[in-house]
Amino acid sequence: MDINLEVQTGQEGSSKGRTANELYHHILGEMQQNPSVLPISVYKEFLRFFIATFGNLKYRAADGKVKDIKCMHARPERAVAKLNQQQNMILPTSTISQTAIQEAENRRRISNLFQHEVVWDEKKLRAERIIRVVDRPVNIQYTLNLWTKYVADMDQLAATVRLMFNPTMRVNTKFDKVSQVFLDSESDNSTITLADREDRIVKRSFTLRLETYIPNPRFKVTSTGEIEQLGVDVGLDGC
């Protein structure tokens, strides 16, 4: 969907009494209501980041060898079901899941603001104007669960997780390289007895809080005054 800004401002009554900011905001509002304009989805990217990060945890086994553990996306009840079903599931392991999302009132801006930036296009070798309604600040809560057979393994992994937050962890995705993750709380060890098995599994949970912004669709202002939607796969690190 393209809108010619020069035509809009020149139409009788369309911009009368409006400031440039009000006109930009009006046009962006109309474009965002178009069903073909899709918001940028960042939730999967955040999960991929956490799975990759906590999939690099290591511990020293009883035989003295340093071993890696895997991380998968699963809620605790699903992880327990897998442990019950799969007799040969390798422990220790870890799981991560998104549990809540809340608007960050203390970081919210007034609703009629929009961002107007200039970014450099490496392919076209020229600067381009990018506009969008201000992004929405949110706090996303995740639960990281560690699962081990032995308390000694759990102590090693839990200590490693704590050291990853000093005091925060920085997110690194194709959409976001500045958001921070906080370690809000940690539960005590709990022991789970699996059905039809003699194994007793030690579990520890960590509550993580990601302070970030959900990006609004971005639009490019061309040299002819048209406003064009940018693809959802365009990175945000330049804006």
Side-chain angles (χ1 to χ4, degrees):
M1 178 181 182
D2 298 346
I3 294 181
N4 191 294
L5 188 59
E6 294 177 352
V7 174
Q8 287 282 340
T9 55
Q11 288 179 347
E12 181 70 25
S14 64
S15 60
K16 186 176 181 180
R18 291 182 179 176
T19 65
N21 284 357
E22 290 173 338
L23 181 59
Y24 266 125
H25 198 274
H26 172 73
I27 294 174
L28 288 179
E30 286 188 344
M31 294 187 74
Q32 287 184 304
Q33 291 176 6
N34 188 329
S36 65
V37 177
L38 300 176
I40 301 173
S41 178
V42 295
Y43 300 105
K44 286 185 178 180
E45 291 299 319
F46 289 143
L47 272 175
R48 290 191 184 104
F49 165 76
F50 285 123
I51 290 173
T53 299
F54 296 116
N56 286 326
L57 293 178
K58 302 178 186 297
Y59 73 103
R60 188 175 297 277
D63 58 6
K65 296 180 179 179
V66 176
K67 299 182 179 181
D68 299 327
I69 75 168
K70 292 184 178 181
C71 183
M72 61 182 177
H73 175 218
R75 292 185 176 275
E77 57 273 16
R78 183 183 169 206
V80 172
K82 284 192 172 184
L83 289 169
N84 278 314
Q85 293 169 1
Q86 301 180 21
Q87 299 292 324
N88 60 347
M89 188 169 182
I90 298 175
L91 294 178
T93 191
S94 64
T95 58
I96 186 79
S97 62
Q98 179 184 319
T99 52
I101 181 169
Q102 296 179 335
E103 185 171 355
E105 299 284 348
N106 61 326
R107 291 185 286 125
R108 186 173 61 181
R109 302 178 184 179
I110 58 177
S111 60
N112 63 346
L113 285 179
F114 69 90
Q115 291 177 281
H116 183 187
E117 297 124 343
V118 177
V119 298
W120 181 257
D121 190 316
E122 291 290 348
K123 295 181 179 180
K124 298 179 181 178
L125 297 178
R126 67 183 183 189
E128 294 185 333
R129 289 186 295 164
I130 307 297
I131 59 174
R132 69 175 183 265
V133 177
V134 291
D135 298 334
R136 193 175 189 86
V138 295
N139 295 329
I140 308 177
Q141 181 176 296
Y142 296 86
T143 299
L144 170 69
N145 289 301
L146 300 179
W147 311 81
T148 69
K149 285 187 178 181
Y150 308 109
V151 174
D153 295 342
M154 178 62 74
D155 290 342
Q156 291 183 59
L157 293 170
T160 301
V161 170
R162 296 185 200 107
L163 291 173
M164 297 173 75
F165 297 86
N166 189 28
T168 65
M169 175 194 297
R170 186 180 294 275
V171 167
N172 186 4
T173 72
K174 68 178 182 179
F175 292 125
D176 190 338
K177 300 185 187 302
V178 297
S179 294
Q180 303 288 329
V181 187
F182 297 81
L183 177 57
D184 275 352
S185 63
E186 176 182 344
S187 71
D188 293 334
N189 282 342
S190 59
T191 303
I192 300 172
T193 302
L194 301 180
D196 301 326
R197 291 176 59 177
E198 297 181 356
D199 295 337
R200 294 174 66 83
I201 307 301
V202 180
K203 171 194 168 192
R204 177 166 290 193
S205 299
F206 299 83
T207 301
L208 314 179
R209 171 171 45 91
L210 169 61
E211 293 189 355
T212 188
Y213 291 84
I214 303 302
N216 271 302
R218 301 187 303 153
F219 304 92
K220 177 177 66 176
V221 182
T222 68
S223 58
T224 61
E226 292 184 337
I227 298 180
E228 302 174 348
Q229 182 190 9
L230 290 179
V232 296
D233 59 340
V234 177
L236 299 179
D237 41 320
C239 298

